[in-house]
Amino acid sequence: MQRRASSLFIVALTALLAATLPARAADYPTRPIKLVVPYAAGGPTDVLGRIVGEYLGRDFKQVVVVENKAGAQGAIGAEAVARSDPDGYTLFVTAASIFVLNPMLYKKLPYDPARDFRLLSVITDAPMIMEVHPSVPARTIAEFVAYAKKNPGKLNFGSAGTGGTVHLAGEMFKQMAGVEMTHVPYKGAGPALTDLLSGNIQLMFDTLGTALPPVKSGMLRPLGVSSTERIPDLPDLPTIAESGYPDYAVSVWYGIAAPSRVPDDIADKIKASLDRALNDEAFRASLLKIGFPPLHAKSQAEIDKFVNTDRARWAGVVKALNISLD
């Protein structure tokens, strides 16, 4: 009798769960969503996250709370999301450095991108500007390389920190151009840019949003753009690729991820909202205003191919330079 009652209970529980799961996806979200930004408040990634959060909030008619968890090249925020409940109520603003570079540079990470996350959307893929202080007597990439080879080791380039995309963009150029430059890491892009403006360092590969104001004002001189095509903001600025280094292509991409075990139906609902955002003119204009060219919505297969291509590009650079941050 007891065995029969237990069997009936299991059948009833299974039926109840089967009945409630579709309703859960249909009703999602029923409470506030947390969007984790793995960098400090006020920076470009934070601003991007808040624009995404604002759209999701409107689209879902639910509160989206942006939570900053900075540190360890984004690993602290990544670990927090990886360990969160996979219910769709914790999302993550991720980046190329977190998904692609960190696993190559650190032997021990508190997260595994392939195991712990599902990348739902790639929002933007922003190029970098190779910019120099006006004291550097070069107006083209060729002139800069010639000057650097005549002055080996005398040029310093800054970055927002060792191991980030900005740092490795400089290392990639050093490798391809065969020049000697000294890397100077800073605790953020802001201090690096300040020292570049004052002439304490001579060069920086800077993201588009922060590079444009000092470049357009004449305070810094642009030599090339890291994308494969010229950019509308600086149409006369050649790409580094067309300046003699055809294999040079670097960008800083950002996307939105969820814990890997989030239910498929909820993941699909979030992805659909993000796809709508990328088709929304006001959303796209907001990203452009802060220097992040918006991408068009990608299928899951296209997202996977995008990340794998980026991973393959950086793997050769990291291996050749023998960089490890452990």
Side-chain angles (χ1 to χ4, degrees):
M1 187 72 175
Q2 185 178 358
R3 185 180 298 174
R4 184 168 180 269
S6 298
S7 299
L8 288 173
F9 174 78
I10 293 172
V11 171
L13 181 60
T14 303
L16 177 62
L17 289 174
T20 56
L21 282 176
R24 180 183 60 182
D27 295 340
Y28 173 89
T30 59
R31 55 187 171 87
I33 299 168
K34 180 167 63 178
L35 181 61
V36 175
V37 174
Y39 300 107
T45 312
D46 178 61
V47 176
L48 181 146
R50 293 178 189 279
I51 291 173
V52 172
E54 184 180 352
Y55 183 90
L56 289 175
R58 288 197 311 269
D59 198 42
F60 282 143
K61 297 180 174 58
Q62 186 57 262
V63 174
V64 176
V65 179
V66 174
E67 181 176 303
N68 298 91
K69 285 187 175 293
Q73 292 287 353
I76 291 176
E79 181 182 11
V81 176
R83 294 185 176 185
S84 67
D85 291 334
D87 53 9
Y89 288 93
T90 300
L91 303 177
F92 185 42
V93 180
T94 191
S97 57
I98 296 170
F99 251 62
V100 173
L101 293 178
N102 281 358
M104 296 179 186
L105 299 172
Y106 295 91
K107 294 177 182 177
K108 295 181 180 179
L109 276 179
Y111 70 93
D112 180 337
R115 179 194 65 212
D116 295 329
F117 296 106
R118 180 185 298 200
L119 187 58
L120 302 176
S121 178
V122 182
I123 301 295
T124 182
D125 189 23
M128 293 182 180
I129 302 296
M130 180 181 176
E131 56 191 3
V132 297
H133 187 267
S135 62
V136 177
R139 295 187 175 277
T140 66
I141 297 285
E143 289 177 0
F144 177 85
V145 171
Y147 178 77
K149 288 184 175 180
K150 288 180 180 179
N151 298 274
K154 292 184 179 181
L155 293 172
N156 300 315
F157 73 99
S159 79
T162 302
T165 310
V166 173
H167 168 210
L168 294 187
E171 297 291 355
M172 181 186 285
F173 182 80
K174 278 176 56 178
Q175 183 189 50
M176 290 186 175
V179 297
E180 293 182 31
M181 301 186 299
T182 301
H183 173 233
V184 182
Y186 291 82
K187 293 182 178 180
L193 183 60
T194 298
D195 262 14
L196 179 60
L197 289 167
S198 64
N200 291 329
I201 57 175
Q202 292 74 46
L203 168 70
M204 188 170 172
F205 288 78
D206 202 2
T207 54
L208 184 62
T210 51
L212 282 178
V215 162
K216 288 191 171 183
S217 68
M219 299 174 71
L220 296 175
R221 183 183 305 132
L223 299 184
V225 60
S226 68
S227 51
T228 56
E229 297 179 356
R230 296 192 182 195
I231 56 174
D233 292 288
L234 298 169
D236 295 328
L237 182 66
T239 67
I240 297 173
E242 70 180 283
S243 301
Y245 306 94
D247 294 329
Y248 192 95
V250 178
S251 59
V252 182
W253 62 261
Y254 294 92
I256 304 298
S260 59
R261 292 181 292 111
V262 68
D264 291 341
D265 41 14
I266 290 180
D268 290 344
K269 194 168 186 179
I270 299 168
K271 177 171 171 44
S273 181
L274 293 168
D275 288 352
R276 286 192 292 273
L278 289 173
N279 289 322
D280 182 87
E281 290 304 319
F283 178 85
R284 297 177 68 84
S286 296
L287 291 184
L288 281 170
K289 193 177 295 184
I290 60 171
F292 285 123
L295 296 177
H296 292 288
K298 298 178 181 294
S299 68
Q300 193 60 57
E302 290 171 332
I303 291 172
D304 294 342
K305 181 180 179 181
F306 177 91
V307 174
N308 289 335
T309 300
D310 196 47
R311 187 175 287 118
R313 177 166 59 238
W314 283 115
V317 176
V318 172
K319 183 178 180 180
L321 296 173
N322 194 28
I323 299 175
S324 176
L325 300 183
D326 282 316

